[in-house]
Amino acid sequence: QQPSKNSEGTYSATADASHVCLGSTLADVQRFHYARSAQAANLDASGWDYGTYQPEQFGRYASFSPTTPNPSAGGRLGAQIYEATCHCHFAQNYPYAIGPRLGAAYQIDRKTVIRGGVGVVYNQTTNQTGSTTNTANATTPAFGQIVGLLQNGIPSNVVAQWPTFNPAAGQAVGAVVAAPTLLDENAGRPMRLLQWNVTVQREIGRDLAVEAGYVANRGVWEEAGTGLSALNALSQQTLQSYGFTDFTSASEAALLTTPITNLSNAQKQQLTTMGITLQPYSGFPSSQTVRQSLLPYPQYTGLLNPAGAPLGKNWYDSLQTKVTKRFSHGLVANANYTYSKTLALTSTPDPFNRGLGKNMSTYDLPNQFRLTAQYEVPRLHSNLPVVRNKLASYVLSGWSMGWFLSYQSAALVGLPTSSGTVPISQFLGYGPGPAQLVPGMSPWSVNWTDYNGVHHTTPLDINCHCFDPTKTVVLNPAAFTNVPNGQFAADQSSIRSFRGVRIPVENANFGRNFRIRNARA
């Protein structure tokens, strides 16, 4: 079966013997599995997925190269290359995306079935590409100038060059600019997901079936976000090698964050003693900070995160339950409830300690409940004069109504930003992560008044409908504290109970099916 993306944002695939989905009724399972045998198992070699990264047709996209001299930075290594001129490929395609599935089912008795499966599925390859550098901008066109036809010729301030394979395209001599795109060499590797499930199905009475299952996913090679890999980042070890030993010192932080041109003679002497030259290459602008001059590639700002790097991971565990009831007179109801937990590692406050970024996923929805119902008016049969008429019976029968109700946990609320007096970011340019919840404190207000004018010092229940939301501050301002100076946050986790507004979905529909038969010759 094809993998499907569930509401948690992760991919799931059902692996079983009959290709009957997890939500099938017990009667369906029995019909497919047990007509001849009480046991069944199946190995499904489901296929081979092959995707490619996205190169530009003629190799005119650029990617960062750490070994190419940059003519705009005095020849310092770190510039752009192009597939058309390097005769290379920025990334490699992954040829081994083979996803087997194995499923088994066993009928315990006439009304009970236990099923299980394990499977490997792959996502599509990343959509990341290299940098587009072949662009030019002109001034606002004059009145009457036809821009599309360039009737008046190319503006004098535009030097058209196409294509451009300049390793410093978009960077003036001596300028420090934003880093170009670095397409990760493994951008052609799709995310891989290992999924397994164990489900018990039970028929209770003729028209009632229930089931409960444990469904889990483990994902690797997910496209990484900020900081999991960074080529242009300073480490604490690098700064320590220069003599920066106290990451809580405001004076040492000031040495790094001060523009070179604003340094005092005493500060310049101190930096010279530490082995810092302040000019990593000829033409490095003195308007830059000391920290910028110490970066591996000081001609560029930013961490230089590789695009499409398959370094992310995710974890998903859930209990999924379902009840299906077929009532008489055309009424069918289906209810399912999922309790789950989803974790992800796609970014981190410290690229040299990726584990700090293991976090509650933005797709984490602990509770999900769905209820669907369908009612169809049966074909009317009666001796009453009106209903007995075939035309009247046809007009009054076959009408249907449907309901879909969805209730689930709200999305996570982001934690406040940590500042502090000397955050580690003043030394490194990244970190320290979000503010931390004070142990034992509630993020909800402990100083609020209800509709009856009674003052409370217990944590506010935002679902109690007992306070005026236009006058009550629901968050506790004393619940969070800054990360200590010179340190990273203990982790980047959200608080699982710290969530925003729930948005229930309630739909209803009314319809009628008309059957049209082909006339016979």
Side-chain angles (χ1 to χ4, degrees):
Q1 297 180 15
Q2 296 297 319
S4 60
K5 196 170 185 180
N6 60 28
S7 59
E8 287 75 23
T10 55
Y11 285 81
S12 300
T14 301
D16 57 49
S18 66
H19 297 279
V20 178
C21 296
L22 181 65
S24 302
T25 65
L26 184 64
D28 294 330
V29 176
Q30 290 176 330
R31 184 183 309 115
F32 282 102
H33 279 289
Y34 311 116
R36 299 182 180 177
S37 173
Q39 302 182 47
N42 182 50
L43 175 62
D44 178 10
S46 60
W48 175 43
D49 297 315
Y50 185 79
T52 65
Y53 80 99
Q54 295 190 26
E56 200 274 332
Q57 182 178 6
F58 299 105
R60 294 172 296 195
Y61 274 168
S63 182
F64 174 79
S65 169
T67 59
T68 300
N70 189 323
S72 292
R76 187 179 177 100
L77 296 182
Q80 300 175 81
I81 59 174
Y82 304 82
E83 289 187 341
T85 56
C86 72
H87 306 292
C88 61
H89 296 286
F90 292 155
Q92 303 299 322
N93 300 320
Y94 186 71
Y96 306 114
I98 299 174
R101 279 90 154 159
L102 175 64
Y106 180 76
Q107 184 179 12
I108 299 176
D109 56 38
R110 192 174 65 85
K111 294 186 177 183
T112 307
V113 174
I114 183 170
R115 302 164 56 230
V118 60
V120 177
V121 293
Y122 289 86
N123 194 6
Q124 65 184 14
T125 52
T126 177
N127 294 323
Q128 297 289 351
T129 61
S131 298
T132 303
T133 58
N134 301 296
T135 59
N137 296 318
T139 56
T140 303
F143 179 78
Q145 182 180 17
I146 303 177
V147 179
L149 300 178
L150 291 177
Q151 178 174 292
N152 298 328
I154 298 176
S156 59
N157 62 333
V158 174
V159 179
Q161 183 179 352
W162 178 262
T164 295
F165 298 118
N166 181 3
Q171 182 178 14
V173 175
V176 175
V177 298
T181 298
L182 167 60
L183 188 64
D184 190 87
E185 63 180 357
N186 292 310
R189 171 173 287 186
M191 185 184 80
R192 184 181 70 193
L193 193 74
L194 174 65
Q195 186 271 345
W196 64 92
N197 64 78
V198 178
T199 305
V200 176
Q201 295 179 306
R202 174 74 177 176
E203 187 176 36
I204 303 175
R206 178 180 177 84
D207 298 315
L208 177 63
V210 297
E211 62 183 76
Y214 168 62
V215 180
N217 297 331
R218 295 293 183 269
V220 295
W221 303 342
E222 185 175 353
E223 184 176 335
T226 304
L228 283 189
S229 180
L231 270 69
N232 204 29
L234 279 175
S235 68
Q236 290 176 283
Q237 290 74 20
T238 299
L239 291 181
Q240 288 170 346
S241 68
Y242 284 112
F244 292 93
T245 57
D246 185 1
F247 292 100
T248 65
S249 170
S251 59
E252 291 192 10
L255 280 177
L256 292 168
T257 57
T258 301
I260 296 173
T261 189
N262 294 341
L263 291 172
S264 66
N265 291 332
Q267 288 175 319
K268 291 180 180 179
Q269 181 61 40
Q270 181 181 355
L271 292 170
T272 301
T273 303
M274 299 169 71
I276 299 175
T277 63
L278 302 178
Q279 193 172 27
Y281 57 83
S282 176
F284 183 75
S286 60
S287 59
Q288 296 294 317
T289 63
V290 175
R291 184 179 63 210
Q292 182 67 34
S293 72
L294 298 179
L295 295 180
Y297 304 100
Q299 65 269 37
Y300 297 121
T301 59
L303 294 179
L304 239 174
N305 298 292
L311 299 175
K313 299 180 181 180
N314 59 72
W315 298 260
Y316 173 74
D317 295 275
S318 69
L319 170 65
Q320 300 184 9
T321 62
K322 180 179 179 181
V323 178
T324 301
K325 173 65 176 177
R326 289 181 174 86
F327 297 92
S328 58
H329 306 295
L331 178 61
V332 178
N334 176 288
N336 61 78
Y337 169 75
T338 299
Y339 177 76
S340 64
K341 183 176 183 180
T342 310
L343 302 174
L345 176 57
T346 55
S347 63
T348 180
D350 182 6
F352 298 97
N353 186 6
R354 295 176 182 173
L356 289 180
K358 188 173 181 180
N359 188 13
M360 298 301 304
S361 170
T362 55
Y363 298 106
D364 180 66
L365 299 172
N367 299 285
Q368 299 175 79
F369 177 75
R370 308 282 190 272
L371 175 64
T372 60
Q374 182 75 24
Y375 174 72
E376 182 173 350
V377 177
R379 185 66 181 267
L380 299 179
H381 299 281
S382 176
N383 292 324
L384 294 176
V386 176
V387 180
R388 187 170 51 191
N389 182 277
K390 290 185 177 181
L391 178 60
S393 177
Y394 176 79
V395 171
L396 297 175
S397 303
W399 295 96
S400 65
M401 290 192 67
W403 299 268
F404 171 74
L405 308 177
S406 175
Y407 307 96
Q408 63 185 28
S409 301
L412 291 166
V413 174
L415 299 183
T417 301
S418 177
S419 54
T421 56
V422 189
I424 192 68
S425 57
Q426 291 190 8
F427 287 85
L428 302 175
Y430 56 85
Q436 300 295 288
L437 181 67
V438 177
M441 294 288 286
S442 169
W444 308 112
S445 177
V446 291
N447 180 17
W448 59 282
T449 302
D450 62 24
Y451 276 125
N452 297 322
V454 179
H455 181 260
H456 297 266
T457 58
T458 55
L460 172 67
D461 178 5
I462 61 172
N463 296 311
C464 71
H465 304 286
C466 59
F467 62 92
D468 186 348
T470 65
K471 299 179 181 179
T472 304
V473 178
V474 299
L475 300 181
N476 183 359
F480 295 95
T481 183
N482 289 317
V483 176
N485 291 336
Q487 298 181 25
F488 286 96
D491 54 44
Q492 205 178 10
S493 296
S494 300
I495 300 173
R496 205 172 191 216
S497 61
F498 194 45
R499 297 179 176 270
V501 179
R502 290 185 297 106
I503 305 178
V505 176
E506 299 173 340
N507 295 326
N509 62 75
F510 179 76
R512 173 70 158 86
N513 291 328
F514 296 92
R515 294 179 176 86
I516 301 177
R517 298 180 180 180
N518 295 329
R520 295 182 179 180

